[in-house]
Amino acid sequence: MLLHVTLKTPIEDWISINDIYTTSVTILDIRPDSSSYRVLIEYKGKDNEKFLSSFTKVSKNSYLGTLQVNSKIISILSKYTIMQGNVVPDSIIWTVIVDGYQELKRLLKEFVDNKIDVKVLKVVKAKSDATITARQEQIIKIALEAGYFDFPRRITLNQLAEKLNISSSTLAEILRRAEKNIIEAYFKERGL
């Protein structure tokens, strides 16, 4: 049984150092990368030259990019499926998908063992008749926000795959399977 868990963790140094906590920042994905972690971030706000130098502009005030981060919270959450992390003035609100209550218990134990304040805000059982998987949903959402489905495209498959730190072929397969499931569900709902 999959659970959607909403957690609240403290603001970390890497956010304060980059002075990004005062704008709209959403953490979309976390991937291990040698001795640190690549964090995929969507930034909405004013131009911040120092911070946005390696980001791709996807709309008027929206940017998509990755940061190399080495933090305990990111390290813990990298082991799970992250739907998103929203940076708010005094904390980060995470939506994490775990496989049942035992995995949730392990996740919370890791926070406690590392003396990190964490608060569970909400736990919801995921519907088993979902059209697409959590990972497909996450990638479709990122692709949509980055402009992959726009005409003309604002980001290519290769650019999006690079931002997600996955191969282009893997990304193409995830998108095609998700698209197929969404289209089938659409026609099934209409009895066609």
Side-chain angles (χ1 to χ4, degrees), residues 104-120:
L104 174 58
K105 187 177 175 180
R106 280 194 300 276
L107 169 63
L108 296 175
K109 184 178 180 337
E110 281 191 74
F111 280 111
V112 171
D113 290 349
N114 287 284
K115 297 177 176 45
I116 297 170
D117 289 333
V118 63
K119 182 176 182 182
V120 177

Side-chain angles (χ1 to χ4, degrees), residues 28-33 38 40 66 135-136 138-140 142-143 148 156-176:
L28 302 171
D29 198 23
I30 302 168
R31 295 283 169 186
D33 188 32
R38 284 176 42 135
L40 178 65
T66 57
R135 180 76 174 142
Q136 289 171 335
Q138 179 187 40
I139 288 183
I140 289 278
I142 293 168
Y148 177 77
T156 67
L157 181 76
N158 291 336
Q159 291 169 328
L160 186 59
E162 186 179 317
K163 294 289 182 194
L164 293 168
N165 197 27
I166 59 177
S167 72
S168 297
S169 60
T170 299
L171 177 59
E173 181 181 347
I174 292 169
L175 290 172
R176 287 187 63 115

